[in-house]
Amino acid sequence: MNGERKQLDSVSTVEHVVERIRTSKRIVVITGAGISVSCGIPDFRSANGIYNTVDCHALNIPSAELLFDLSFFKIDPQPFYKFSRAFYANRALQPSPTHLFIRDMESRKKLLRNYTQNVDGIEQIAGIRSLVECHGNMHTFRCAKCKKKGDSESVIRRLLEDGSVPQCACLGSLKPDIVFFGEVFPSSLERSMQRDLARVDLVLVIGTSLRVGGSVLEFLRRLPDAVPRVLINKEALSGSSKTYSAGFDVTLLGPCDAIVRILTHRLDWPDPSKCLDRIGHLRALRERVYEVCEAEEESRVSVSVAAPADVGERRTRHAPKKRRIESM
Ligand code: CNA
């Protein structure tokens, strides 16, 4: 992100954000694991996230980060599959209100692209079409050795039956088509970013710590200064990504489903939960989501514009040069 960029005075309040969403026609939404937390999928770095809760001892790994490390997977794919079995066993994945908000933007012809770092495939379930899955998808498989495609249905069935590591005919291990740490991003990502950087008129970044280098950070770094950018996240950016805070014109802090609900209300768009009904999702899920959000709505949503503590760091230029995925 360009640390020397001056924040836009014209985009500094929630009302400005609402107005920009109302008038923009080529919005890029960058999403991360936070938007799937209310779907029951933990993120990486929150207190309840994978890195803090995984039982490394039971999986026989020295650290949780190694679960998604290519070199480690090539040596021993068993921990990855042991860990991800629960994900594959969940056949009832449903979009969150935030996924549905993005889909609603698309149906209103406002969405240029959703760049997601998520690998759960829920954007596709929600019906978002202008989608780039920057880190791939858990639902298709390829041999880590000969690269031949595996048959997803039988791989998942066998994995659930006996927990064994799926193998290719060449005896290599099948690996889901997600970009592990140490892997290179697909070249189609760069082509898409180049096209979109020349057209985008608003950027919404939702539910990400911005700590995974490469793909979406690269997009933000190359974004023209005039394009407004808004961060919606449960917590303020911290650690190595704290310096990016001042790069956003507006930051909305709180659970993204609650914030999206406020935005849609002010936009006079239907509540995203109504979209859940429209595509036949569970009423129970909707109630669970909003029970949490309603309680937190007023107290947790705050707007931070150029917090003084961040301003000093605004000059720091962060330019991740590597095209490999890396954890920071
Ligand atoms: P991360 O580093 O775990 O950060 C998640 C961010 O989301 C944190 O800043 C949280 O504060 C925030 N957050 C958590 N809950 C909410 C909420 N309800 N509303 C708003 N914000 C919330 O994950 P990133 O996405 O930044 O990192 C990218 C990694 C995570 C990619 O490589 C993914 O493949 C990987 N990942 C994906 C999934 C998934 O597909 N659902 C799950 C876990 C990890």
Side-chain angles (χ1 to χ4, degrees):
M1 188 119 61
N2 188 346
E4 290 171 0
R5 172 180 175 269
K6 188 177 176 316
Q7 286 168 311
L8 302 174
D9 292 336
S10 56
V11 186
S12 59
T13 66
V14 180
E15 275 321 311
H16 290 154
V17 175
V18 170
E19 208 38 47
R20 289 294 175 142
I21 296 174
R22 199 191 304 283
T23 53
S24 297
K25 293 199 160 44
R26 295 183 301 277
I27 303 175
V28 163
V29 184
I30 292 175
T31 46
I35 76 159
S36 291
V37 169
S38 67
C39 309
I41 305 174
D43 63 9
F44 271 168
R45 294 180 177 82
S46 291
N48 294 328
I50 293 167
Y51 287 170
N52 289 313
T53 56
V54 110
D55 185 347
C56 291
H57 183 69
L59 292 174
N60 200 18
I61 45 170
S63 80
E65 282 88 340
L66 286 176
L67 281 174
F68 303 94
D69 183 283
L70 183 66
S71 326
F72 189 82
F73 181 90
K74 283 184 170 168
I75 298 165
D76 185 6
Q78 187 80 48
F80 173 82
Y81 279 113
K82 234 174 157 177
F83 166 77
S84 50
R85 208 169 165 205
F87 172 82
Y88 289 113
N90 183 357
R91 292 291 179 150
L93 283 179
Q94 306 287 357
S96 67
T98 305
H99 290 99
L100 296 169
F101 172 63
I102 300 167
R103 193 189 71 145
D104 200 12
M105 274 196 269
E106 183 167 50
S107 64
R108 291 168 191 274
K109 306 210 181 315
K110 290 182 170 296
L111 183 72
L112 177 59
R113 204 83 55 205
N114 176 195
Y115 286 91
T116 184
Q117 298 169 92
N118 294 348
V119 294
D120 54 33
I122 302 183
E123 293 82 3
Q124 293 192 40
I125 298 173
I128 300 166
R129 289 174 163 186
S130 303
L131 175 70
V132 175
E133 294 176 315
C134 305
H135 299 172
N137 189 304
M138 291 281 278
H139 299 280
T140 58
F141 299 82
R142 209 167 285 276
C143 176
K145 205 163 134 194
C146 73
K147 309 290 176 215
K148 197 170 159 222
K149 219 169 166 353
D151 174 59
S152 304
E153 211 173 299
S154 66
V155 167
I156 295 172
R157 196 181 53 243
R158 263 184 288 135
L159 181 66
L160 295 179
E161 271 165 18
D162 62 8
S164 59
V165 172
Q167 282 203 320
C168 174
C170 77
L171 297 183
S173 303
L174 289 174
K175 174 186 154 302
D177 285 330
I178 62 176
V179 183
F180 275 46
F181 294 120
E183 275 192 284
V184 175
F185 292 103
S187 51
S188 55
L189 175 62
E190 173 60 27
R191 285 198 296 277
S192 176
M193 289 201 308
Q194 260 179 27
R195 269 197 311 270
D196 292 348
L197 279 163
R199 303 183 61 213
V200 54
D201 58 7
L202 173 67
V203 173
L204 304 178
V205 177
I206 316 181
T208 172
S209 67
L210 291 179
R211 283 171 75 170
V212 173
S215 62
V216 300
L217 278 180
E218 185 65 11
F219 186 91
L220 291 170
R221 190 183 68 77
R222 286 156 58 186
L223 198 59
D225 285 358
V227 179
R229 53 210 76 182
V230 176
L231 174 69
I232 299 175
N233 208 47
K234 190 163 179 180
E235 295 150 3
L237 298 179
S238 60
S240 55
S241 58
K242 190 168 177 235
T243 47
Y244 302 135
S245 310
F248 289 98
D249 297 304
V250 178
T251 297
L252 304 175
L253 291 183
C256 54
D257 293 342
I259 293 174
V260 155
R261 195 177 185 214
I262 292 167
L263 294 177
T264 50
H265 181 71
R266 296 196 186 181
L267 281 159
D268 210 14
W269 293 1
D271 190 304
S273 64
K274 302 277 173 9
C275 306
L276 277 176
D277 281 347
R278 275 214 303 274
I279 54 175
H281 291 306
L282 300 174
R283 190 175 151 70
L285 172 83
R286 193 180 79 216
E287 283 170 357
R288 180 165 61 83
V289 169
Y290 283 115
E291 241 170 44
V292 177
C293 295
E294 267 157 15
E296 295 186 88
E297 196 165 283
E298 295 308 323
S299 58
R300 299 284 308 271
V301 179
S302 61
V303 185
S304 112
V305 187
D310 293 327
V311 174
E313 296 182 76
R314 222 193 278 176
R315 298 216 152 259
T316 314
R317 187 182 276 273
H318 269 253
K321 293 231 164 34
K322 287 187 188 160
R323 309 296 297 142
R324 278 171 191 281
I325 185 166
E326 56 183 337
S327 182
M328 303 196 297

